[in-house]
């Protein structure tokens, strides 16, 4: 997977050497909700920009990709901070 900038985007499940700074940063298996508390989906993986060494997106169990810029973590719960209908699609290069 790569972005338009030729940054390598990979699921962290595929990165054996990858470690998050803190275990509580791992959102895999957590329910993503919208700002009203409604279910959006369960996070199945987190996509990392290997060159920048940062998480750029969440992949949901239904294969949707959510840019992390649209997510806040509140009390350990990932919350979508914008409405789904206004959420821009993930770059096609991020979708496996």
């Amino acid at each position: 997977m790569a972005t338009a900038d030729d940054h390598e985007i990979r699921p962290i499940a595929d990165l054996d050497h990858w470690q998050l700074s803190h275990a509580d940063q791992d959102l895999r298996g957590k329910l993503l909700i919208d700002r009203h508390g409604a279910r959006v989906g369960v996070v199945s993986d987190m996509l990392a920009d290997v060159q920048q060494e940062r998480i750029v997106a969440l992949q949901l169990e239904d294969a949707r990709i959510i840019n992390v810029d649209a997510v806040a973590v509140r009390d350990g719960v990932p919350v979508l901070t914008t409405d789904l209908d206004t959420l821009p699609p993930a770059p096609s290069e991020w979708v496996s």
Side-chain angles (χ1 to χ4, degrees), residues 52-69:
Q52 292 184 356
E53 297 184 352
R54 73 179 199 98
I55 300 299
V56 294
L58 303 178
Q59 183 168 13
L60 303 183
E61 287 182 333
D62 63 4
R64 285 182 290 171
I65 305 292
I66 307 292
N67 189 314
V68 294
D69 292 337

Side-chain angles (χ1 to χ4, degrees), residues 14-69:
D14 294 348
L15 299 172
D16 294 334
H17 67 282
W18 189 272
Q19 288 187 340
L20 297 170
S21 298
H22 303 283
D24 61 348
Q25 293 174 317
D26 192 348
L27 300 178
R28 292 173 291 179
K30 295 197 176 192
L31 177 64
L32 174 67
I33 60 173
D34 69 15
R35 59 187 176 193
H36 305 291
R39 175 190 174 95
V40 176
V42 175
V43 178
S44 62
D45 212 338
M46 300 166 67
L47 303 180
D49 180 320
V50 176
Q51 283 78 13
Q52 292 184 356
E53 297 184 352
R54 73 179 199 98
I55 300 299
V56 294
L58 303 178
Q59 183 168 13
L60 303 183
E61 287 182 333
D62 63 4
R64 285 182 290 171
I65 305 292
I66 307 292
N67 189 314
V68 294
D69 292 337

Side-chain angles (χ1 to χ4, degrees), residues 82-95:
T82 188
D83 293 325
L84 274 174
D85 58 347
T86 62
L87 186 65
S92 60
E93 297 89 1
W94 291 9
V95 180

